[in-house]
Amino acid sequence: MLTFFPTPYEDELWYGIITRYHIRSGNTYWKYTIQELFPEIKGYPRLGDTMPNTSMQIIAAQLPENVLSLRDCALRHSLFPFRMRFQPLEKKREYLQEFLDGENMQPKFLFTTKRNGAEMPLRSCPQCAVEDVKQYGEPYWHTEHQIASLPLCPKHLCRLVPLPRQNTMSIGQQLILPPKNLPDAVFAATETEYSLTEALHYMYTLPYETSPNLLSENLSTTIENAGFLEDGNILRQSWDVQRLYTALTERFGADIVVRCFGKHITKAHARRLRRYEIYSTEEYALLAVLLDIPPLAFFSGIALPLELDMKMRELACQGQVYTKARAAQLLEIREDQLLPYAKRFGIRPFWVQSGKPCADDKRQTYSVEIRLSAQEKEELDAYMAAHNMDVYGHALRYFMQKNIGDWKNNHTNERSFNNEN
């Protein structure tokens, strides 16, 4: 039974709690503290992990009941909620319960860190360190600051300062204390860094139970709105992974993209991203910033609009006649894409379709010649430009259909009135 153990600070990293125990213990060397806390473990436990591990279970078992909550250790002093953000709710609950029941979760958590390779250096915020000393008398390692892709402190928006490791051994094998005298805070940052910090912080602070909404398909919608669909994949909605990877690299730099996504994005990876089957929270944060969508869109049940669908419906409702080329130009797509998109959205074609079979009474076999004055032609040209028309015949047919339709309605109403009287 341990005679004392530090009360964890708000959002304190588990490793940091152990280092504070070492300071209070009076032990001369770090290895003595490890032997004292983990007498049955040969070597060093994985204290440098940012995920829940057996060291938490061992410490909790040596303290009186209710002194240290194992649930709080997992949810407040590790990156467990953040790493599990895109897991289905059922799987989240299962993982948490297994950990609370004493299971070693390290094998299941390997997928959350396999791309990161070596441990990332611990990082501090100069402003947070000053505030910690004022409030607690000492600085401490904040859990959120250890998110590898987080460029700035979410509270102060200054750059996080990495602390160089003393040697090449793992973090758990050495004592690394947060420095009390950090360099002055640097507040200069890019808009991308501000946006990425905001997105990561939002995903970090959501309740543990929050999972992505699979019904809204907002990621697929924004990918298409941004023009990252592969040519010729209108119905399958396959992503152009090469262009997407290039855009990510140009926006964030190669280092962060390679660490999060790997050296390229495969089509299989893209399909799993689309279905929220990739559980790397940082990948979705980078996509949110690149696509300029709020992170809330991944979790909300409110579907974002598909811009092309809205634009095509708007044109179809105007009742105007367009050539195929003009319709494609207004929608900013190719002519051969018009019909596939119309079928996908359930919209009847509103452009002239050459070669389309029709009944004899619908055949356009008569021609009429009309002569206009210069002023009339100028007015007609202005009207057509204002209504996105580029063929005189289509404009005149629109006038005719509209006026004849009005005349028919008035004539029918007039006959009905006379019959009633």
Side-chain angles (χ1 to χ4, degrees):
M1 181 72 68
L2 294 176
T3 56
F4 72 93
F5 194 78
T7 300
Y9 296 139
E10 180 183 359
D11 192 47
E12 184 176 15
L13 186 67
W14 175 250
Y15 170 82
I17 302 173
I18 303 298
T19 61
R20 290 199 298 115
Y21 175 88
H22 169 79
I23 295 173
R24 285 155 177 73
S25 70
N27 290 328
T28 306
Y29 298 105
W30 177 248
K31 68 176 182 178
Y32 294 160
T33 297
I34 300 304
Q35 292 170 359
E36 182 178 303
L37 291 176
F38 311 101
E40 296 183 3
I41 293 182
K42 294 181 180 180
Y44 291 85
R46 301 176 66 91
L47 295 176
D49 284 352
T50 56
M51 294 292 282
N53 53 69
T54 54
S55 67
M56 294 178 177
Q57 298 161 338
I58 294 172
I59 295 295
Q62 298 180 71
L63 294 171
E65 189 176 358
N66 299 325
V67 170
L68 183 68
S69 167
L70 201 54
R71 181 184 180 89
D72 283 351
C73 287
L75 299 184
R76 298 183 181 180
H77 305 291
S78 79
L79 291 178
F80 183 66
F82 178 77
R83 297 295 184 197
M84 296 292 106
R85 179 60 58 216
F86 284 83
Q87 287 276 4
L89 178 57
E90 298 76 13
K91 186 62 68 175
K92 287 186 182 188
R93 290 173 174 170
E94 176 187 331
Y95 278 165
L96 180 58
Q97 191 57 52
E98 288 176 353
F99 175 71
L100 297 180
D101 290 341
E103 184 172 334
N104 180 8
M105 303 301 292
Q106 187 60 34
K108 293 188 177 182
F109 295 156
L110 287 177
F111 69 88
T112 66
T113 56
K114 64 182 180 181
R115 282 206 188 96
N116 293 347
E119 292 176 323
M120 302 294 290
L122 294 172
R123 301 189 297 166
S124 287
C125 163
Q127 296 288 94
C128 285
V130 172
E131 293 179 359
D132 294 342
V133 171
K134 288 182 179 179
Q135 184 171 0
Y136 302 108
E138 60 185 340
Y140 66 91
W141 295 115
H142 290 246
T143 305
E144 185 177 10
H145 293 166
Q146 313 317 318
I147 297 175
S149 300
L150 186 71
L152 311 172
C153 171
K155 182 178 181 180
H156 300 103
L157 296 180
C158 59
R159 291 197 173 279
L160 294 172
V161 179
L163 186 68
R165 301 255 287 277
Q166 299 174 9
N167 51 55
T168 59
M169 294 188 301
S170 69
I171 292 175
Q173 293 178 269
Q174 53 188 303
L175 174 65
I176 305 177
L177 298 175
K180 294 184 178 180
N181 299 313
L182 285 168
D184 292 338
V186 177
F187 293 94
T190 65
E191 287 301 320
T192 294
E193 290 173 321
Y194 287 126
S195 298
L196 183 57
T197 298
E198 182 181 359
L200 289 168
H201 178 66
Y202 177 84
M203 294 181 182
Y204 179 78
T205 54
L206 285 173
Y208 176 66
E209 291 77 13
T210 304
S211 294
N213 190 303
L214 303 180
L215 301 179
S216 63
E217 296 188 346
N218 284 333
L219 178 56
S220 297
T221 297
T222 50
I223 282 285
E224 187 165 359
N225 286 343
F228 285 114
L229 277 195
E230 200 172 44
D231 286 343
N233 280 278
I234 295 172
L235 299 181
R236 290 173 49 218
Q237 301 170 53
S238 178
W239 298 4
D240 189 330
V241 292
Q242 185 172 352
R243 284 201 302 117
L244 178 61
Y245 192 87
T246 299
L248 285 165
T249 303
E250 291 175 350
R251 184 70 180 271
F252 301 102
D255 290 344
I256 185 173
V257 174
V258 170
R259 189 183 59 76
C260 290
F261 290 90
K263 294 183 178 180
H264 60 276
I265 300 176
T266 65
K267 291 185 180 296
H269 189 129
R271 286 194 295 270
R272 295 183 64 205
L273 277 170
R274 177 182 169 185
R275 297 193 293 260
Y276 299 117
E277 293 175 355
I278 294 293
Y279 302 132
S280 168
T281 306
E282 291 170 271
E283 290 187 34
Y284 290 101
L286 265 63
L287 287 172
V289 174
L290 176 70
L291 301 172
D292 193 25
I293 58 173
L296 172 64
F298 296 130
F299 312 99
S300 171
I302 301 175
L304 297 176
L306 186 58
E307 294 173 1
L308 183 58
D309 185 5
M310 294 177 59
K311 198 170 183 179
M312 184 172 278
R313 292 184 188 281
E314 182 181 341
L315 288 182
C317 291
Q318 290 179 357
Q320 299 180 15
V321 182
Y322 298 98
T323 63
K324 195 172 186 179
R326 183 57 174 165
Q329 180 185 20
L330 292 173
L331 294 171
E332 299 180 327
I333 59 177
R334 300 193 310 269
E335 290 184 41
D336 62 301
Q337 294 177 318
L338 276 173
L339 193 56
Y341 273 121
K343 289 181 178 179
R344 175 181 163 192
F345 301 147
I347 299 174
R348 296 185 64 180
F350 52 89
W351 57 89
V352 176
Q353 300 181 79
S354 60
K356 182 180 179 181
C358 59
D360 290 341
D361 61 338
K362 299 293 184 181
R363 292 184 179 277
Q364 300 171 358
T365 57
Y366 297 94
S367 62
V368 177
E369 183 178 342
I370 181 172
R371 297 183 179 277
L372 305 175
S373 66
Q375 181 178 350
E376 290 172 332
K377 183 178 182 303
E378 184 177 340
E379 292 173 348
L380 179 59
D381 288 339
Y383 181 90
M384 291 172 61
H387 291 77
N388 291 315
M389 296 180 180
D390 57 356
V391 178
Y392 290 115
H394 294 167
L396 296 176
R397 180 178 294 280
Y398 172 72
F399 293 147
M400 181 187 72
Q401 290 176 343
K402 184 177 185 303
N403 285 279
I404 289 180
D406 293 343
W407 174 79
K408 284 182 177 180
N409 290 334
N410 293 334
H411 186 63
T412 300
N413 293 336
E414 183 178 342
R415 283 194 304 175
S416 300
F417 177 80
N418 291 335
N419 291 336
E420 291 175 0
N421 294 277

